[in-house]
């Protein structure tokens, strides 16, 4: 089963839209949303820097390889998630 992680902020409409998209696939994939508060901004900026991404959300797919090692693959933002999952964007 595919696993997605959203790094974002609760006040970001595209972060919430990404969460809605993933919620609509409940049972077909798993997901985790990590919303950062203002005091945690350095951690969010670190995720953005890690993936060379300027905006939020920062969405990654997490999986395990045949050896059980964790693999992270950068998806992008809300638009990229919609394209990957084949769903129409909201707004």
């Amino acid at each position: 089963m595919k696993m997605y992680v959203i790094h974002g902020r609760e006040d970001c409409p595209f972060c919430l839209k990404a969460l809605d998209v993933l919620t609509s696939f409940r049972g077909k994939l798993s997901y985790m949303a990590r919303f950062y508060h203002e005091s945690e901004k350095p951690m969010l900026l670190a995720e953005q820097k890690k993936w060379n991404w300027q905006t939020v959300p920062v969405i990654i797919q997490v999986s395990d390889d045949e050896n059980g090692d964790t693999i992270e693959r950068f998806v992008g933002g809300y638009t990229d998630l919609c394209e990957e999952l084949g769903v129409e964007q909201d707004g």
Side-chain angles (χ1 to χ4, degrees):
M1 183 179 294
K2 291 183 180 181
M3 167 71 171
Y4 290 90
V5 179
I6 301 171
H7 296 275
R9 297 185 319 266
E10 289 180 333
D11 64 345
C12 167
F14 290 101
C15 298
L16 298 176
K17 288 179 182 186
L19 182 58
D20 286 344
V21 167
L22 291 175
T23 301
S24 73
F25 281 84
R26 192 173 306 217
K28 298 177 185 169
L29 56 80
S30 58
Y31 60 90
M32 181 182 87
R34 174 63 170 103
F35 291 138
Y36 297 81
H37 298 282
E38 187 62 33
S39 63
E40 301 171 305
K41 190 174 183 177
M43 290 184 285
L44 178 55
L45 291 173
E47 280 297 324
Q48 289 175 292
K49 184 176 181 179
K50 175 181 177 180
W51 300 104
N52 194 27
W53 194 249
Q54 301 296 316
T55 60
V56 291
V58 176
I59 303 171
I60 60 171
Q61 182 185 1
V62 180
S63 59
D64 294 329
D65 67 12
E66 60 277 354
N67 298 320
D69 296 323
T70 300
I71 299 171
E72 294 182 326
R73 181 181 63 81
F74 179 69
V75 174
Y78 167 71
T79 302
D80 305 295
L81 178 67
C82 290
E83 288 176 11
E84 177 161 320
L85 297 176
V87 299
E88 191 172 319
Q89 297 177 41
D90 178 28

